C-alpha cells in the first residue's frame, strides 16, 4: 500500500504533544512492514531549525483561499534512520513563527487559514510529486478538511477513484472551531455548511468536517473510542460519532523501545532487563532517592508522577490524598512537571513541610523522566480522562507498577491486580473506576500493601515487563484498518 500521513506536527521536526510521536514513528513502522509510507507537515520555523537535512524540491504551487491566492513551496527530508520521505509545506507567512499553534496561551487568529492552506497544499503535493496514494491518513482538526476535499473535489478525478481517507482523533477536546465566515476559506460550497457536515452551533468545525467525511475514523485506544460516543467525553460531537460507530475503532499508540527501554537506557545509573531487574531497579531507586534528597531506604515504596500538573491528569484527586499520606504512610513521592499555579503552590508548600517524603521538580527534564520511571516502585496516573497515555506503558517496561484511573487507554493497557489476575499472570498494575479521592487512596493502599510482599510484587513487575506495546504491534493494526477501508471503496 501507499500511505500518506498528514500531520500538523511530527518528531523530530516539531512537537507539542503525543500526535508528533505518532506521526514521526508510524510511517517508519509501516515501511518496515513493506509498505510505502510518506509524511507531510508544515515547514515550521522549528522544523527548519531542527538540524535535520532538508532540501528544496523546486516545486512551487498556489492555493486559492477565498478571494486570495497564496503561494507555497515544497521541501523534502527523511525520517532519521529510514528511507521514509517527509514533505514540508513552506509558507513563511503562516509557519515562520515561534510556536506551532499560538503564543502566550492564545491561539493564532489565522489558524483556520493556516491549516486550510496546509490541507489544500497536500493535494498540490500529491499532484506535483506524482505521489501514488492509496490511503490519506489525517490527524486531528488541523487536517480535518482533507477527507472532505477528497470526497467532494477529488474522488471523481483520475487517480483518486479508490483512495481512502482515515481520520485519527488524538483528543476530542480540540476541534478547530472558527466563525462561520471562515467557510469561504475552505473553497467548498456553502451547502456543506450544515449541521450534518461542517457546521456546529453556528461555527465552522474542522474536526466535525473530518468526522463526517472520512471513510473511517479511529482514535488512540479502544476504550476512548467508546467513551467519545458519550456526552461525558464527546465534547458535543458524541451524536456524530454514534452515527458513525460502524467505522470507528481504537488502536493503542506504540512505544519506541529504542528510547524507552531500561536495558539500553543510558540515562540510568544502571541498566537492567527482566532478568536483572532485581538488582538494577534497586540501584536506580537508591540513585533517585539520593538525587532528590530523599532518605535512601529500599523498604519504603517510592511513588512517581511525570506529566502536566493539571486537573485532567488527576491533580485534584492527588491534592486531596497527599496530606493524609504525608502523615499516615512512610511512602515517598516525586513529582516532575509543570501546569496550573494552584498545584505548583500546593506541592511546593507540602514539599517544604515534608522534605523526607516529597520531592517536587517544577520543570520538564527528559533525563529525570527516565530516572523516575526506573527508580520509582509505583507510577501514578489518576487521569480524569486519557485518550491513550504513554507513561503507563513506559512504566510497565521499566518494572514500575502503574496505579491508574480506568479510563481511555489506561483501562486498555493496565490489568488490575487481584488474587485471580496475579495467580493467572495477567495482573500488571492497579486500577480504580470511580473518580474519587478516597477510592484513589484505597487503591494506592492496595499497591503499597503488595509492595510489602516482595515475591508477589516481583511477579507483578515481571508481568508488566513482558508486555509488548511496541509500534510494530500498532502498525500491524493500522495496516489491517487500511486494508478494510480499501475493501469498502
Amino acid at each position: 500500500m501507499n500511505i500518506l500521513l498528514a500531520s500538523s506536527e511530527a518528531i523530530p521536526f516539531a512537537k507539542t504533544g503525543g500526535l508528533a510521536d505518532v506521526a514521526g514513528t508510524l510511517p517508519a513502522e509501516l515501511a518496515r512492514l513493506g509498505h510505502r509510507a510518506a509524511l507531510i507537515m508544515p515547514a515550521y520555523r522549528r522544523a527548519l531549525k531542527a538540524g535535520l537535512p532538508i532540501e528544496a524540491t523546486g516545486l512551487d504551487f498556489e492555493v486559492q483561499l477565498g478571494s486570495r491566492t497564496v503561494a507555497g513551496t515544497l521541501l523534502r527530508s527523511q525520517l532519521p534512520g529510514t528511507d521514509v520521505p517527509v514533505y514540508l509545506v513552506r509558507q513563511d507567512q503562516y509557519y515562520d513563527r515561534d510556536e506551532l499553534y499560538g503564543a502566550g496561551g492564545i491561539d493564532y487568529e489565522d489558524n483556520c487559514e493556516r491549516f486550510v492552506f496546509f490541507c489544500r497544499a497536500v493535494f498540490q503535493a500529491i499532484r506535483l510529486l506524482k505521489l501514488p496514494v492509496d490511503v490519506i491518513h489525517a490527524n486531528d482538526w488541523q487536517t480535518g478538511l482533507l477527507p472532505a476535499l477528497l470526497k467532494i473535489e477529488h474522488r471523481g478525478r483520475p487517480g483518486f477513484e479508490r483512495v481512502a481517507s482515515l481520520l485519527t482523533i488524538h483528543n476530542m477536546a480540540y476541534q478547530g472551531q472558527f466563525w462561520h465566515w471562515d467557510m469561504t476559506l475552505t473553497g467548498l460550497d456553502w451547502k456543506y455548511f450544515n449541521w450534518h457536515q461542517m457546521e456546529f452551533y453556528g461555527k465552522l468545525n474542522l474536526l466535525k468536517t473530518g468526522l463526517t467525511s472520512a471513510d473511517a475514523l479511529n482514535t488512540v485506544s479502544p476504550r476512548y473510542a467508546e467513551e467519545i460516543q458519550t456526552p461525558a467525553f464527546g465534547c458535543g460531537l458524541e451524536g456524530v460519532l454514534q452515527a458513525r460507530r460502524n467505522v470507528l475503532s481504537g488502536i493503542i499508540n506504540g512505544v519506541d523501545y529504542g528510547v524507552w527501554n531500561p536495558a539500553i537506557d543510558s540515562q540510568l545509573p544502571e541498566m537492567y532487563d527482566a532478568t536483572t531487574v532485581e538488582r538494577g531497579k534497586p540501584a536506580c531507586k537508591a540513585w533517585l532517592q539520593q538525587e532528590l534528597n530523599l532518605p535512601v531506604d529500599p523498604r519504603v515504596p517510592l511513588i512517581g508522577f511525570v506529566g502536566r500538573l493539571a486537573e485532567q491528569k488527576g491533580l485534584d484527586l492527588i491534592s486531596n490524598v497527599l496530606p493524609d499520606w504525608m502523615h499516615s504512610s512512610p511512602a515517598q513521592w516525586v513529582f516532575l512537571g509543570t501546569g496550573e499555579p494552584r498545584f505548583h503552590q500546593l506541592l511546593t508548600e507540602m514539599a517544604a513541610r515534608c522534605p523526607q517524603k516529597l520531592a517536587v521538580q517544577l520543570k520538564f527534564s527528559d533525563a529525570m523522566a527516565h530516572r523516575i520511571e526506573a527508580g520509582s516502585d509505583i507510577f501514578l496516573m489518576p487521569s480524569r480522562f486519557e485518550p491513550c497515555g504513554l507513561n503507563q506503558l513506559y512504566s510497565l517496561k521499566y518494572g514500575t507498577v502503574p496505579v491508574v484511573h480506568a479510563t481511555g487507554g489506561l483501562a486498555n493497557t493496565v490489568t488490575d491486580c487481584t488474587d485471580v489476575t496475579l495467580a493467572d499472570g495477567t495482573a500488571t498494575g492497579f486500577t480504580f473506576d470511580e473518580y474519587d479521592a478516597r477510592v484513589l487512596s484505597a487503591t494506592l493502599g492496595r499497591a503499597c500493601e503488595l509492595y510489602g510482599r516482595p515475591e508477589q510484587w516481583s511477579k507483578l513487575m515481571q508481568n508488566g515487563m513482558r508486555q509488548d506495546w511496541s509500534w510494530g504491534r500498532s502498525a500491524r493494526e493500522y495496516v489491517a484498518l487500511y486494508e478494510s477501508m480499501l475493501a469498502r471503496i
Side-chain angles (χ1 to χ4, degrees):
M1 278 184 292
N2 300 292
I3 303 111
L4 178 62
L5 193 142
S7 176
S8 61
E9 58 184 77
I11 57 169
F13 296 91
K15 174 179 176 175
T16 66
L19 166 60
D21 296 296
V22 177
T25 309
L26 179 58
E29 293 296 334
L30 294 170
R32 289 190 184 97
L33 294 176
H35 301 281
R36 290 173 294 278
L39 168 68
I40 187 165
M41 63 176 291
Y44 301 110
R45 179 187 299 172
R46 193 179 302 178
L48 298 180
K49 293 185 175 181
L52 299 160
I54 298 175
E55 61 186 23
T57 64
L59 299 172
D60 302 322
F61 60 90
E62 292 183 338
V63 165
Q64 192 71 28
L65 294 177
S67 60
R68 298 172 54 228
T69 299
V70 182
T73 189
L74 293 172
L75 308 177
R76 190 184 190 281
S77 185
Q78 287 180 312
L79 289 178
T82 77
D83 294 327
V84 174
V86 178
Y87 301 105
L88 299 108
V89 174
R90 183 163 194 173
Q91 212 299 324
D92 288 348
Q93 178 186 344
Y94 293 146
Y95 308 126
D96 185 20
R97 305 181 185 184
D98 289 336
E99 303 297 334
L100 274 56
Y101 310 122
I106 301 173
D107 290 346
Y108 293 130
E109 290 185 356
D110 61 348
N111 270 351
C112 184
E113 185 174 335
R114 297 171 75 223
F115 291 104
V116 167
F117 175 85
F118 174 65
C119 288
R120 287 203 166 271
V122 169
F123 285 97
Q124 293 282 12
I126 293 171
R127 176 180 64 85
L128 292 170
L129 294 163
K130 298 180 173 57
L131 290 178
V133 178
D134 297 309
V135 174
I136 295 176
H137 185 163
N139 293 271
D140 277 349
W141 72 262
Q142 293 91 342
T143 55
L145 188 62
L146 285 174
L149 294 176
L150 175 63
K151 186 176 182 180
I152 296 168
E153 293 186 352
H154 294 275
R155 188 55 70 59
R157 295 179 180 176
F160 287 94
E161 299 92 342
R162 292 186 55 79
V163 176
S165 65
L166 171 68
L167 176 65
T168 297
I169 309 153
H170 297 266
N171 192 329
M172 280 298 301
Y174 302 101
Q175 298 186 5
Q177 294 190 54
F178 304 97
W179 78 322
H180 65 285
W181 286 114
D182 278 340
M183 180 68 188
T184 60
L185 296 172
T186 69
L188 298 178
D189 195 288
W190 275 96
K191 70 181 181 181
Y192 298 108
F193 189 77
N194 63 73
W195 71 275
H196 289 291
Q197 292 170 292
M198 300 177 72
E199 181 267 343
F200 184 74
Y201 292 97
K203 293 184 176 182
L204 170 65
N205 186 312
L206 292 180
L207 181 63
K208 180 177 180 179
T209 298
L211 296 179
T212 58
S213 304
D215 295 302
L217 310 172
N218 88 300
T219 188
V220 291
S221 69
R223 176 69 169 263
Y224 194 57
E226 297 172 5
E227 291 174 342
I228 60 177
Q229 297 179 58
T230 69
F233 296 93
C235 302
L237 293 176
E238 59 273 6
V240 174
L241 293 159
Q242 290 166 13
R244 304 220 64 201
R245 60 184 176 273
N246 290 340
V247 295
L248 171 63
S249 61
I251 297 175
I252 297 285
N253 286 340
V255 173
D256 185 351
Y257 287 141
V259 175
W260 291 97
N261 182 348
I264 58 172
D265 192 339
S266 61
Q267 304 196 74
L268 306 184
E270 184 168 332
M271 298 180 218
Y272 61 90
D273 58 20
T275 63
T276 58
V277 63
E278 302 292 349
R279 183 189 72 247
K281 193 165 180 63
C284 291
K285 178 178 178 178
W287 180 284
L288 182 63
Q289 288 172 320
Q290 187 171 16
E291 185 176 12
L292 298 171
N293 294 316
L294 294 170
V296 177
D297 188 342
R299 299 167 300 174
V300 174
L302 178 56
I303 301 169
F305 177 98
V306 176
R308 281 188 297 114
L309 303 178
E311 191 167 310
Q312 189 244 309
K313 297 297 183 180
L315 266 293
D316 54 333
L317 296 190
I318 292 172
S319 64
N320 285 318
V321 163
L322 264 181
D324 286 342
W325 276 70
M326 290 297 104
H327 295 294
S328 63
S329 170
Q332 298 173 347
W333 301 64
V334 54
F335 288 83
L336 173 67
T338 60
E340 298 175 29
R342 57 178 172 140
F343 296 127
H344 284 207
Q345 181 179 353
L346 172 80
L347 292 172
T348 300
E349 291 176 352
M350 198 163 292
R353 291 197 302 268
C354 306
Q356 302 294 297
K357 291 186 176 182
L358 176 60
V360 177
Q361 305 250 314
L362 297 178
K363 62 180 182 179
F364 183 75
S365 162
D366 185 61
M368 178 59 76
H370 282 250
R371 290 198 291 276
I372 290 174
E373 286 288 3
S376 299
D377 300 298
I378 296 167
F379 195 90
L380 185 57
M381 286 187 74
S383 304
R384 184 178 291 272
F385 70 93
E386 196 70 62
C388 176
L390 288 174
N391 277 101
Q392 84 278 14
L393 303 181
Y394 303 156
S395 298
L396 292 171
K397 189 67 173 176
Y398 282 68
T400 303
V401 174
V403 171
V404 305
H405 178 217
T407 185
L410 302 178
N412 287 129
T413 55
V414 180
T415 301
D416 189 43
C417 181
T418 66
D419 290 341
V420 173
T421 59
L422 191 60
D424 66 18
T426 59
T428 56
F430 295 86
T431 72
F432 62 99
D433 294 313
E434 184 181 359
Y435 191 78
D436 181 88
R438 290 170 299 177
V439 179
L440 168 59
S441 184
T443 307
L444 280 168
R446 286 200 291 132
C448 290
E449 181 185 3
L450 192 73
Y451 180 78
R453 291 181 262 160
E455 187 175 333
Q456 291 176 303
W457 188 261
S458 177
K459 182 176 181 182
L460 186 60
M461 286 197 306
Q462 293 285 345
N463 290 348
M465 296 185 79
R466 286 197 299 268
Q467 300 285 305
D468 176 16
W469 296 105
S470 65
W471 267 110
R473 173 199 53 81
S474 301
R476 288 188 290 274
E477 292 187 42
Y478 271 106
V479 168
L481 178 56
Y482 298 150
E483 290 173 344
S484 69
M485 291 162 50
L486 291 170
R488 295 195 301 266
I489 298 293

